């Protein structure tokens, strides 16, 4: 064997051994190696924000919400969004995908991607600043790149934005207080009260209410509700104080957040609390002594997904690549055994039993465990 061949084999062994050692490095170490030591410039050559802008929610339990605990520093255990004080089913999914992106971006060390390249945007705060916005998904036009919240798949949204596969299935329903006096037609809603309370910038406002009416529910109030839906009453986000100042009451109250409308419901200011079932029951549980009953069923079949704006004119080059990479990893992680969907459920709901509908959905996405 020639000296040249011996030298080549020796060098190959050294490289293989080095690769084996590095393969056992901790996730934090690998992320640190992939991330630049200084914060990257937040604007690209065209003046656009070069960071990946992730939209999260303050008030959308148990899917995307603000917690009391914030470490402020990224860790591989929590993830970039949870370390900033956000949690929930959709936040968990986004965090796990982003963590994988930190260590497996195929562009390599020439264009590293790390926690400092992400900026979280609170969409509920944007809604407070822009109360005329009809749909929070519209913030994908300019303020955010990816929306990590329980956004329902609709035909209109799919036409305008990139969308992931479905990640959760639920339905719109309603709660009413247990042992509450049934409302009567003549005096409903009543001074300072609302017949229906819901969060304005959601599909509950039109799709949900129409589905409930189509089922035959609330037949006594049908004309009042339809009249309110046709007016501008449902288009304006209103505060609880505004409702309580109404001498004749309010038929439909589009509130800013579930936190606000759930408290009003438990305080008996709202008769029917409408929304995605897992969300409204989770918020009602936050209020001590609040006892309620569910409506007869769920009235829609809603599928949650993660939406993004891959606008190749706005997101040229690296950012468009990152959004595409996000979807690539997400699709891979949900389609196999020990799916990211199962892990997100366990992290959010613990040992709570899954509905048959949800179990069948998970099975259809990743097969048998």
């Amino acid at each position: 064997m020639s000296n040249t061949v011996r030298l080549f084999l020796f060098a190959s062994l050294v490289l293989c051994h080095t690769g084996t050692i590095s393969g056992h490095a901790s996730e934090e170490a690998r992320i640190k190696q992939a991330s630049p030591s200084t914060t990257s410039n937040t604007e690209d050559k065209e003046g656009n924000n070069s960071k990946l802008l992730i939209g999260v929610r303050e008030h959308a339990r148990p899917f995307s919400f603000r917690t009391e605990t914030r470490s402020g520093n990224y860790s591989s255990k929590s993830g970039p969004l949870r370390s900033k004080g956000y949690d929930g089913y959709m936040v968990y999914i986004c965090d796990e995908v982003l963590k994988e992106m930190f260590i497996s971006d195929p562009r390599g060390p020439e264009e590293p991607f790390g926690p400092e390249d992400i900026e979280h945007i609170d969409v509920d705060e944007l809604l407070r600043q822009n109360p005329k916005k009809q749909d929070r998904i519209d913030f994908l036009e300019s303020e955010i790149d990816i929306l990590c919240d329980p956004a329902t798949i609709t035909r209109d949204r799919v036409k305008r934005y990139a969308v992931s596969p479905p990640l959760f299935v639920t339905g719109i329903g309603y709660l009413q207080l247990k042992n509450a006096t049934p409302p009567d037609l003549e005096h409903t809603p009543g001074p300072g009260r609302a017949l229906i309370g819901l969060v304005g910038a959601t599909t509950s406002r039109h799709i949900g209410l129409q589905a409930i009416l189509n089922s035959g529910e609330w037949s006594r109030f049908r004309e009042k509700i339809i009249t309110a839906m046709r007016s501008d009453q449902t288009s304006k986000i209103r505060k609880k104080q505004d409702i309580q100042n109404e001498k004749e009451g309010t038929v439909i109250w589009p509130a800013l957040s579930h936190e606000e409308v759930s408290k009003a419901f438990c305080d008996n200011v709202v008769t029917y609390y409408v929304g995605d079932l897992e969300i409204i029951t989770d918020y009602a549980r936050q209020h001590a002594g609040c006892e309620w009953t569910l409506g007869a069923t769920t009235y829609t079949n809603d599928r949650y997904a993660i939406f993004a704006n891959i606008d190749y004119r706005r997101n040229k080059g690296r950012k468009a690549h990152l959004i595409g990479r996000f979807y690539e990893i997400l699709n891979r992680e949900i389609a196999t055994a020990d799916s990211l969907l199962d892990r997100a459920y366990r992290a959010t709901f613990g040992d709570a039993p899954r509905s048959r509908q949800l179990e069948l959905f998970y099975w259809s996405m990743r097969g048998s465990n």
Side-chain angles (χ1 to χ4, degrees):
M1 184 182 295
S2 68
N3 290 335
T4 302
V5 173
R6 288 192 182 94
L7 183 61
F8 174 79
L9 291 174
F10 177 76
S12 299
L13 287 171
V14 170
L15 287 174
C16 290
H17 181 65
T18 304
T20 302
I21 293 173
S22 63
H24 292 290
S26 67
E27 188 172 324
E28 288 95 335
R30 283 185 287 169
I31 292 168
K32 187 175 181 180
Q33 291 168 359
S35 304
S37 57
T38 58
T39 302
S40 58
N41 190 349
T42 60
E43 292 189 354
D44 59 23
K45 294 179 180 179
E46 297 178 352
N48 299 316
N49 193 328
S50 62
K51 290 190 175 186
L52 198 58
L53 308 177
I54 309 293
V56 288
R57 298 282 300 283
E58 184 178 356
H59 300 300
R61 283 178 173 271
F63 296 95
S64 182
F65 60 96
R66 189 71 174 268
T67 67
E68 297 298 325
T69 57
R70 282 186 292 169
S71 66
N73 298 318
Y74 169 79
S75 74
S76 63
K77 183 177 181 180
S78 62
L81 301 177
R82 282 171 287 172
S83 65
K84 297 297 183 182
Y86 293 87
D87 208 344
Y89 181 89
M90 302 299 279
V91 169
Y92 181 95
I93 290 174
C94 286
D95 256 349
E96 293 302 296
V97 174
L98 292 168
K99 284 159 56 178
E100 181 64 23
M101 288 175 67
F102 294 159
I103 60 176
S104 65
D105 193 332
R107 291 200 172 192
E110 293 80 11
E111 293 188 51
F113 177 67
E116 67 280 353
D117 296 306
I118 291 174
E119 184 175 341
H120 72 278
I121 308 292
D122 193 317
V123 176
D124 285 331
E125 179 60 32
L126 289 180
L127 282 170
R128 284 191 286 270
Q129 297 171 5
N130 303 271
K132 293 184 179 180
K133 280 281 187 183
Q134 296 295 304
D135 190 344
R136 66 189 185 282
I137 204 86
D138 292 334
F139 290 118
L140 283 167
E141 291 293 339
S142 57
E143 286 87 353
I144 57 178
D145 299 312
I146 298 174
L147 181 59
C148 292
D149 90 330
T152 300
I153 297 174
T154 66
R155 185 177 299 275
D156 178 64
R157 288 173 173 177
V158 170
K159 284 181 178 179
R160 293 188 291 150
Y161 304 110
V163 61
S164 73
L167 303 174
F168 197 86
V169 291
T170 184
I172 291 175
Y174 70 86
L175 307 180
Q176 59 186 112
L177 290 178
K178 188 180 290 186
N179 302 321
T181 303
D184 64 83
L185 180 61
E186 183 179 354
H187 300 100
T188 297
R193 291 179 48 80
L195 178 64
I196 299 167
L198 47 81
V199 174
T202 65
T203 54
S204 298
R205 186 181 59 199
H206 295 302
I207 297 174
L209 290 182
Q210 192 62 59
I212 294 173
L213 291 176
N214 290 345
S215 74
E217 290 282 305
W218 303 340
S219 56
R220 289 180 300 162
F221 313 113
R222 182 180 179 85
E223 294 305 317
K224 283 188 175 184
I225 294 171
I226 290 176
T227 300
M229 290 175 67
R230 289 174 177 171
S231 71
D232 65 349
Q233 187 177 112
T234 61
S235 63
K236 298 177 181 177
I237 303 295
R238 305 180 69 191
K239 297 179 180 179
K240 180 181 176 182
Q241 183 179 351
D242 299 330
I243 303 304
Q244 293 180 310
N245 289 336
E246 290 283 349
K247 293 182 179 180
E248 296 182 1
T250 303
V251 178
I252 303 172
W253 171 32
L256 178 63
S257 70
H258 281 285
E259 187 175 61
E260 184 177 32
V261 71
S262 65
K263 186 177 187 312
F265 166 71
C266 291
D267 289 342
N268 201 24
V269 174
V270 171
T271 302
Y272 301 120
Y273 177 20
V274 177
D276 292 348
L277 206 56
E278 283 81 4
I279 295 179
I280 60 178
T281 54
D282 194 87
Y283 270 91
R285 289 191 191 102
Q286 306 301 313
H287 304 286
C290 186
E291 297 184 350
W292 69 90
T293 59
L294 295 172
T297 182
T298 54
Y299 302 88
T300 62
N301 183 19
D302 294 339
R303 298 168 300 154
Y304 292 159
I306 293 173
F307 287 83
N309 187 358
I310 311 181
D311 185 340
Y312 292 99
R313 294 167 298 179
R314 188 185 84 182
N315 295 330
K316 293 181 179 180
R318 184 170 188 254
K319 184 174 283 193
H321 159 79
L322 290 173
I323 297 172
R325 180 69 174 148
F326 180 94
Y327 279 127
E328 177 190 349
I329 294 173
L330 174 61
N331 292 347
R332 183 183 71 211
E333 291 294 315
I334 67 176
T336 57
D338 191 30
S339 167
L340 179 55
L341 302 180
D342 293 293
R343 285 180 273 143
Y345 186 94
R346 290 194 296 267
T348 306
F349 301 101
D351 296 327
R354 304 172 186 182
S355 68
R356 177 164 176 76
Q357 179 191 32
L358 185 62
E359 190 57 64
L360 287 173
F361 164 71
Y362 281 170
W363 175 84
S364 72
M365 297 300 291
R366 46 86 170 128
S368 300
N369 267 333

